[in-house]
Amino acid sequence: MGTSDATMVFSNDTETAVSVESYSATDFSINTTTISGVENNTIMGVSTAGPVSKSLQTYEERVVVAVCWLLIALINIIGNTLVILAVVFSKKLRTSTNVFVISLSVADLLTGLAIPMSAVGLLSPGNTWPLSTEAPCYLAGMLLFVSSSASLFNLASIALNRLILIKRPMTLYRSLYTRRNLAINVAVLWLVAIATMVIPPLFGVGGFGYDEAHHTCSDLDTHPRAKTFERIQTFLSYPIPFIIIVSSYIMIFLHVRRHFQTQRSMRSAISDTTNASSSNGSSSFVVSDNATVLKTAQHNRIYRQQLEITKNLFMAVCAFFVCITPYCVALFIPNTDRYLLFLGVVFTCNSCVNPIIYASKHPQFKKVMRRMLQCRYSQIEEPSDALKALMACRKTV
């Protein structure tokens, strides 16, 4: 057969012939065909092969996502550090509920510390992890998943705490939320979050590392048992906290509605009694009723303050689910892999939303954080020993 005849190249997998045009000494053509996922370049009858990139996004898209994540990490670290320092500096913020708020801020802070590693992978022009070792990426991926699980457990603990505080007697609340019980509660929820994400990979079920498709530090979708690992994450981290959160806030809502209906009835009855007593000249009874009204008003003021705190914490829960829901829904919709990276940006926004809610809405956190941002530490209510020591050091300097 002469050189002018057509040359046939066969695929090992499909045994399909691919025709390559003939060439001459002065005129030759370059044909590129993809066979079984491998790019084959035929130049002057010589075939060369190279791997096709697994990336689902262009490099420009990766740069945009990396910049967004770095901004989120910056806001996250500053905001959650302020929340933690607010409790360190003010004794007034050292309540049982705020123990879980601080635990939640620590979880969010871990997310902020893990995000930059994914930005490193996104900004690298190549398709492989740019550093000499993948250990930082493995650790970042694990921290990201542990913190997400811990955040959900903390939000469930906060919801249950508010339910007991608002609906049950204060004596029961104080007996349940002692320092010892709070420490055990926080330790258990973190141990469960860590165990859920760490133990399965130790037994060969899933793993963490560099995701070549999205160029991020995450769990490995290419692992042979990745789907099993995802099911373990889902069933151990999501249903129970979700049920606790939803049921707790529904019961709080129903209780609050009944409470204010009762209060309106009581005020109406007291008003009618007071008017009747005044018309009959019973002044001592009026004084007694006025004392009852004042006591009821004070109780309502405290109740409304706790209700306001509960509403703001509920906003944090809503923000969490608004941020994570698009990503979680996309996981169950076919052909959405390309959009998961962009939805991941929305997912991680939940880690920096909470400090913004506390600084703008929470009545107690707002005051302390505002003083901190204004560097007016001496005006912080009920300063802690740590803050007093810090102020003393500043005066000596």
Side-chain angles (χ1 to χ4, degrees):
M1 184 179 295
T3 57
S4 61
D5 294 333
T7 304
M8 304 299 292
V9 180
F10 294 92
S11 168
N12 291 330
D13 294 333
T14 61
E15 296 184 359
T16 303
V18 180
S19 177
V20 181
E21 294 180 358
S22 60
Y23 62 89
S24 64
T26 57
D27 182 27
F28 63 89
S29 61
I30 302 175
N31 292 330
T32 303
T33 56
T34 302
I35 304 174
S36 300
V38 179
E39 188 182 80
N40 291 268
N41 300 319
T42 305
I43 304 176
M44 297 182 67
V46 180
S47 178
T48 61
V52 176
S53 173
K54 297 180 181 179
S55 179
L56 297 174
Q57 292 83 26
T58 65
Y59 183 70
E60 290 75 15
E61 291 173 334
R62 288 158 50 185
V63 170
V64 171
V65 172
V67 171
C68 290
W69 263 343
L70 290 174
L71 289 174
I72 290 171
L74 181 62
I75 297 171
N76 174 310
I77 294 170
I78 294 174
N80 286 293
T81 301
L82 283 173
V83 171
I84 295 169
L85 288 177
V87 177
V88 172
F89 288 160
S90 177
K91 291 181 180 179
K92 190 173 183 178
L93 292 177
R94 295 181 181 180
T95 64
S96 300
T97 303
N98 287 347
V99 170
F100 299 110
V101 170
I102 292 303
S103 181
L104 177 62
S105 293
V106 171
D108 290 339
L109 186 60
L110 290 178
T111 300
L113 296 174
I115 289 174
M117 279 294 103
S118 289
V120 171
L122 288 166
L123 292 173
S124 175
N127 294 316
T128 58
W129 178 245
L131 304 182
S132 59
T133 174
E134 202 172 310
C137 191
Y138 181 95
L139 180 62
M142 185 177 65
L143 281 178
L144 186 62
F145 278 77
V146 169
S147 62
S148 298
S149 179
S151 294
L152 200 52
F153 289 140
N154 278 297
L155 290 171
S157 298
I158 290 172
L160 193 60
N161 176 276
R162 303 313 296 178
L163 174 65
I164 296 172
L165 176 63
I166 289 177
K167 192 174 181 181
R168 300 300 179 186
M170 185 58 69
T171 52
L172 175 63
Y173 179 83
R174 288 173 179 169
S175 65
L176 288 175
Y177 289 99
T178 61
R179 289 188 177 183
R180 179 175 175 273
N181 290 344
L182 284 169
I184 293 174
N185 194 332
V186 172
V188 167
L189 70 86
W190 274 98
L191 285 174
V192 172
I194 293 171
T196 301
M197 301 302 168
V198 173
I199 291 179
L202 293 178
F203 289 91
V205 180
F208 300 100
Y210 183 67
D211 184 348
E212 294 182 358
H214 297 292
H215 302 273
T216 58
C217 298
S218 180
D219 59 343
L220 296 177
D221 294 334
T222 57
H223 194 280
R225 303 183 69 182
K227 292 298 181 183
T228 304
F229 188 33
E230 289 177 1
R231 294 189 188 100
I232 292 173
Q233 294 175 34
T234 301
F235 288 117
L236 295 183
S237 297
Y238 190 81
I240 295 177
F242 179 77
I243 291 170
I244 292 173
I245 290 170
V246 173
S247 59
S248 294
Y249 282 109
I250 288 175
M251 285 189 283
I252 288 173
F253 171 77
L254 295 175
H255 175 77
V256 168
R257 187 173 66 175
R258 286 195 300 267
H259 172 80
F260 284 113
Q261 288 174 349
T262 304
Q263 290 299 313
R264 281 195 296 269
S265 300
M266 288 179 61
R267 282 196 296 269
S268 177
I270 291 174
S271 178
D272 293 341
T273 304
T274 303
N275 293 333
S277 300
S278 298
S279 62
N280 293 331
S282 304
S283 59
S284 59
F285 190 69
V286 171
V287 171
S288 176
D289 281 341
N290 287 339
T292 303
V293 170
L294 290 173
K295 186 176 181 180
T296 302
Q298 184 180 11
H299 179 269
N300 284 341
R301 182 179 60 81
I302 297 172
Y303 188 87
R304 287 178 183 277
Q305 185 184 45
Q306 293 298 330
L307 182 61
E308 185 67 23
I309 293 172
T310 303
K311 285 167 58 180
N312 293 321
L313 293 171
F314 178 67
M315 286 176 61
V317 173
C318 292
F320 180 86
F321 283 108
V322 166
C323 290
I324 71 168
T325 298
Y327 182 88
C328 295
V329 170
L331 289 175
F332 297 94
I333 300 176
N335 304 320
T336 58
D337 288 350
R338 169 173 163 72
Y339 306 102
L340 290 178
L341 180 64
F342 309 109
L343 295 176
V345 175
V346 181
F347 185 104
T348 51
C349 281
N350 78 85
S351 64
C352 61
V353 168
N354 293 339
I356 297 173
I357 294 175
Y358 302 150
S360 60
K361 296 293 184 180
H362 197 291
Q364 296 172 357
F365 269 104
K366 180 168 65 176
K367 293 179 182 178
V368 177
M369 294 177 71
R370 185 176 297 174
R371 297 290 184 270
M372 292 172 62
L373 291 172
Q374 295 170 345
C375 295
R376 297 179 180 177
Y377 296 98
S378 59
Q379 298 179 9
I380 292 178
E381 297 181 46
E382 299 183 26
S384 65
D385 295 336
L387 180 57
K388 291 177 181 177
L390 180 62
M391 295 298 295
C393 290
R394 289 183 61 183
K395 289 179 180 180
T396 57
V397 173

